[in-house]
Amino acid sequence: MPPELMSLELSPPELATERPLQASRGLPTAANVQRSLRQCLSIAAELLYDHGHVLETITLPQRGLAQRELVALSAAAPTWATCQQVMETSEAATFNEYGRFVLTSLGRELMFDMFGQGAADCA
């Protein structure tokens, strides 16, 4: 896990119940990071649907969200920017060769674990 992710705190209202990423209640930091990443993937899925997208928009490596779509999502739902940062920092998302935001194999695998085959057919 990248060191900068170890001290990342999530602050938007939807993530307010999330504890800072530090060892607490005997849980190792890596478990907290994974829980935060899973929470962000879940929020991202909800925000995509709420704004007219489908999960395949980010789960298929050849698709992705264009920069203008990312800006629109961030403006409409500030939580998106935080989740995008968590996904990128944890290496669960990146930009493809077309400059579009997509999940990496790690992100697709987690999305598949959470939402099933229809969410991430290519995981």
Side-chain angles (χ1 to χ4, degrees), residues 12-26:
E14 290 86 345
L15 301 176
T17 59
E18 186 66 32
R19 289 177 183 79
L21 298 179
Q22 55 190 348
S24 63
R25 289 198 212 176

Side-chain angles (χ1 to χ4, degrees), residues 2 4 6-7 12 16 49-50 64 70 90 93 98 101 114-115 121:
E4 60 273 8
M6 298 302 178
S7 63
Y49 286 126
D50 288 348
L70 292 172
S90 64
Y98 306 108
F101 183 79
M114 293 170 23
F115 295 106
D121 290 337

Side-chain angles (χ1 to χ4, degrees), residues 22 70 75-76 83-84 87 95 103-104 107 113 117-118 121-122:
Q22 55 190 348
L70 292 172
C83 287
Q84 180 180 338
M87 289 185 283
F95 288 86
L103 295 180
T104 63
D113 286 347
Q117 178 123 6
D121 290 337
C122 54

